Amino acid sequence: MTISAGTTLRTLRERKPLVHQITNYVVMNETANATLALGALPVMAHAREEVQEMVVLAGALVLNIGTLSPHWVEAMLLAGKTANASGIPVVLDPVGAGATRYRTETAKRILDEVDVAVLRGNQGEVATLVGVAAEVRGVESIGVGGEPAELARLVAENLGVVASVTGAVDHVSDGDRVLAVANGDALLAAVTGTGCMSSAVTGCFLAVKREAPLEAAAEALVAFGVAGENAARDAKGPGSFHVNLYDALAALDPSTLDGRAKIS
Amino acid sequence: MTISAGTTLRTLRERKPLVHQITNYVVMNETANATLALGALPVMAHAREEVQEMVVLAGALVLNIGTLSPHWVEAMLLAGKTANASGIPVVLDPVGAGATRYRTETAKRILDEVDVAVLRGNQGEVATLVGVAAEVRGVESIGVGGEPAELARLVAENLGVVASVTGAVDHVSDGDRVLAVANGDALLAAVTGTGCMSSAVTGCFLAVKREAPLEAAAEALVAFGVAGENAARDAKGPGSFHVNLYDALAALDPSTLDGRAKIS
Amino acid sequence: MTISAGTTLRTLRERKPLVHQITNYVVMNETANATLALGALPVMAHAREEVQEMVVLAGALVLNIGTLSPHWVEAMLLAGKTANASGIPVVLDPVGAGATRYRTETAKRILDEVDVAVLRGNQGEVATLVGVAAEVRGVESIGVGGEPAELARLVAENLGVVASVTGAVDHVSDGDRVLAVANGDALLAAVTGTGCMSSAVTGCFLAVKREAPLEAAAEALVAFGVAGENAARDAKGPGSFHVNLYDALAALDPSTLDGRAKIS
């Protein structure tokens, strides 16, 4: 399967897949707007009464544990299992895994009970889930030992997922191959929820390329990273960068995107 | 009753009515900021412990089912009935009705148990509530048969509300008259929650013109639409448009607003 | 203890303290981004299952009752008591106290059961908590009798807290001294959640100056007020002001900040 963020983005904008997101209170507006700016349709629904009916309408399901509570965990499991039964790909963003037992255990429980296609997290979060020592301060990854490329490979292999591990350079692995994506800008770390947005964008790409989750996850990070680079150009700080980011996602040009990809 | 968005906006800014909103997690900040930018005062409160006490302080109540769960539905019913008992007008935004049974049934239940003054939704959502076939993808209206003006009239007649049905052209009806409002900009569809904002703005106008809900609802769409047109002028995409929208709502000039109205 | 917002800001950016926030749905993204822009690390966590474990990782805890419900109140009490046991300073923002009994009583209950270091609210909210007559419309303070400086002193004395009472001019008191802070801009009142942001910024300053809560609270208002002044410069309304505010918080210069302070 070839890698072409431009081709997948073009398909995405034609099909406008619905991306069902059960995510945290902090970033709901932001991930919905990132999804819409990219060209897909977001829907947020978390009640046990409706998640099963909603998810089967969707092209992908994104689960994000950023502001957990028991009802939401139940809804995530219910939606995730229903997605699996219908062949709808699931992205998990284990926000803050490693910071509290509740987050770590919930992320592990979702990985146990749901077939997760792509696990998108920072190094500290994903390291925690495979027992590699890591320091997580709140929802920030402070320090992890070892090589990030090898960490991505190990996580993918151990958990049976595509691991999409973001940082200064991102690494995406299916346990066998490892792709490094060097797109992005330091200002992404200055705005809350950009990690969550990259998970939403991963869901968008996966919705139109579910047969190739490794490639879809890498392409999503290329697209999001290039949008970040464009948004940084005339940004005066995190506020204007954040605004520019939606403009840049909407303005992404499928015909030039692959030329911008820093992927290896 | 004459239609004058400018006159009602001037009154609104003098009285600064409190608009109580029980709305969804995705747009709370956005509808609060739209309310404030326009010149009214928003308050968000959803606990059963306080909604009855809060709503009687308000000039209008806006109910929005965008991220439902059972406690929130109870609170909406409680607040709605209390508003009715005090003569406070109620706006209902049936976000995503038609997408899941839970949303459709909750919207119907609110319409049954609460006297709703204005039902503000897209064509797919309101069509669903009167049994007209419609395709709703998540929270987007994809396709509805028939004439939008006739749909608005039918919804108003069948449900005993003022129907405010937004789209490329909006249609507002009390079951007898139908007003078409052609203000707005295509970028409104590129930002999540602009429909919810138009419901909040409808609540603001209704708070100072409760005796004429048809006119208030149409005026609200004129004001919001003109703000959208102004916001689009130097927008570079959905992000900058979104920011401009708050500036434009705050800058709306009551003395020139009626000259901008595209109403028929 | 000397007052120097610049010195404390420099320390804050070196230490990057984690600031645990249990806050309302309306402003979570905004207070997280303000925290991050300033140079600290925000974390939002509200589940009883994890708040005790999360708060001990933090340099300060910010409690905000803007969109209350029973589970959240329990979490606030649990986190607050745990913070107290570990010597972690607690900021309380009693959003809307005075508007409903539920808010007033919850704020009082937190003040009873938790040792609050800084109470940051508007005049109406804090007056309510010491039985001074006040008019609160939703979450806005409309009118309070008496001198604001004396109100701050009285609240601090009666409740055993540092009272940080914001308005056109802010007053901060430990029951003995009263500091007036005149930084800020009228546009701060045009954006929802700026009060909540000032509470979050107070938490950030307190995290690195916990031994001097009076000074930390005043310095936080200086820093936030100066950022507001800078953000207002080329703002076209509340939308662009809001964006500029994050840029301005990130651009605050510790070496010039004290020269900008309007403190007496």
Side-chain angles (χ1 to χ4, degrees), chain A residues 110-174:
Chain A
I110 294 172
L111 285 161
D112 274 353
E113 301 188 22
V114 176
D115 183 8
V116 170
V118 180
L119 177 72
R120 208 296 311 159
N122 64 35
Q123 292 176 35
E125 290 161 349
V126 301
T128 291
L129 298 176
V130 291
V132 171
E135 189 189 345
V136 175
R137 190 182 294 168
V139 297
E140 299 289 322
S141 175
I142 301 300
V144 181
E147 266 298 298
E150 174 54 19
L151 176 65
R153 207 201 51 74
L154 185 74
V155 168
E157 186 179 63
N158 281 18
L159 299 175
V161 298
V162 166
S164 176
V165 187
T166 51
V169 174
D170 311 322
H171 293 88
V172 185
S173 177
D174 59 4

Side-chain angles (χ1 to χ4, degrees), chain B residues 8 20 35 44 58 88 111 117-118 134 143 168 179 195 203 209 216 249:
Chain B
T8 310
H20 180 185
T35 302
M44 309 286 153
I88 294 159
L111 285 161
V118 180
L179 301 171
K209 197 169 181 166
L249 283 167

Side-chain angles (χ1 to χ4, degrees), chain C residues 87-99:
Chain C
I88 294 160
V90 179
V91 177
L92 173 63
D93 187 334
V95 181

Side-chain angles (χ1 to χ4, degrees), chain C residues 38-191:
Chain C
L38 192 69
L41 296 178
V43 71
M44 310 285 154
H46 69 284
R48 287 164 294 175
E49 285 79 1
E50 68 170 349
V51 290
Q52 294 178 285
E53 210 177 334
M54 191 64 92
V55 75
V56 297
L57 305 172
L61 171 67
V62 180
L63 304 177
N64 175 309
I65 67 168
T67 53
L68 278 183
S69 60
H71 281 340
W72 286 69
V73 176
E74 279 179 64
M76 289 185 197
L77 292 168
L78 204 54
K81 289 171 187 173
T82 306
N84 285 169
S86 302
I88 294 160
V90 179
V91 177
L92 173 63
D93 187 334
V95 181
T100 66
R101 278 187 305 263
Y102 188 49
R103 289 178 189 237
T104 306
E105 282 161 18
T106 298
K108 286 185 176 171
R109 191 173 164 206
I110 294 172
L111 285 161
D112 274 353
E113 301 187 23
V114 175
D115 184 6
V116 169
V118 180
L119 177 71
R120 209 292 316 157
N122 65 35
Q123 291 177 36
E125 289 161 349
V126 301
T128 291
L129 298 176
V130 291
V132 170
E135 188 189 346
V136 174
R137 190 182 295 169
V139 297
E140 298 288 322
S141 175
I142 301 299
V144 181
E147 266 298 297
E150 175 54 19
L151 176 65
R153 207 201 51 74
L154 185 74
V155 167
E157 187 179 62
N158 281 18
L159 299 175
V161 297
V162 167
S164 176
V165 187
T166 50
V169 173
D170 311 323
H171 292 89
V172 184
S173 178
D174 59 4
D176 180 14
R177 286 175 299 162
V178 181
L179 301 171
V181 179
N183 292 103
D185 187 276
L187 273 168
L188 285 164
V191 176

